[in-house]
Amino acid sequence: MPDAIKYAASLLCRASFPSTLEETGRRCTVEVTVYRLNAMAVNAFLLDGPETLLGHLGLSETDTYITKHEIDDIVTVVHVTREEVTT
C-alpha cells in the first residue's frame, strides 16, 4: 500500500549538555529531544507504550526516559550517554 500511513516522529527541538551522574560521579552527556508524533505513532504510544517509539528512534530502554505531554502528539525523550572510564 503506497498510500498507507507510516509511523513518524518529527523533530521539534534538541539540546545536549555534559553532566555528572549522581550515584557514581561519572561524566555523561544528556540529550533532550522533543518530537511531534503523527496519528499512527500516537496510537501506538497509547496502546503499546514507548517501546515502538524507542525502536523507531534506534534507542534502547537503558538510560532513556520518555515523557508524554498533555497534548497527545508531543513527547520528550531524554537519553543519557555514559562516558567510558579511561584507564
Side-chain angles (χ1 to χ4, degrees):
M1 284 189 209
D3 294 335
I5 297 174
K6 294 186 171 114
Y7 190 102
S10 302
L11 176 68
L12 294 179
C13 65
R14 174 176 286 148
S16 65
F17 53 92
S19 188
T20 304
L21 297 168
E22 286 183 11
E23 68 271 9
T24 62
R26 290 175 55 193
R27 295 182 51 84
C28 65
T29 301
V30 178
E31 183 176 86
V32 180
T33 312
V34 179
Y35 294 97
R36 170 164 276 138
L37 306 179
N38 72 351
M40 179 176 264
V42 169
N43 285 329
F45 193 94
L46 293 174
L47 295 173
D48 303 327
E51 292 80 17
T52 305
L53 178 60
L54 289 170
H56 180 75
L57 299 174
L59 297 172
S60 70
E61 291 182 32
T62 306
D63 294 329
T64 303
Y65 311 92
I66 297 178
T67 302
K68 188 174 165 310
H69 298 268
E70 288 182 21
I71 302 170
D72 282 343
D73 64 344
I74 303 292
V75 294
T76 299
V77 178
V78 176
H79 181 72
V80 177
T81 303
R82 297 170 186 258
E83 293 184 11
E84 298 296 320
V85 176
T86 56
T87 56

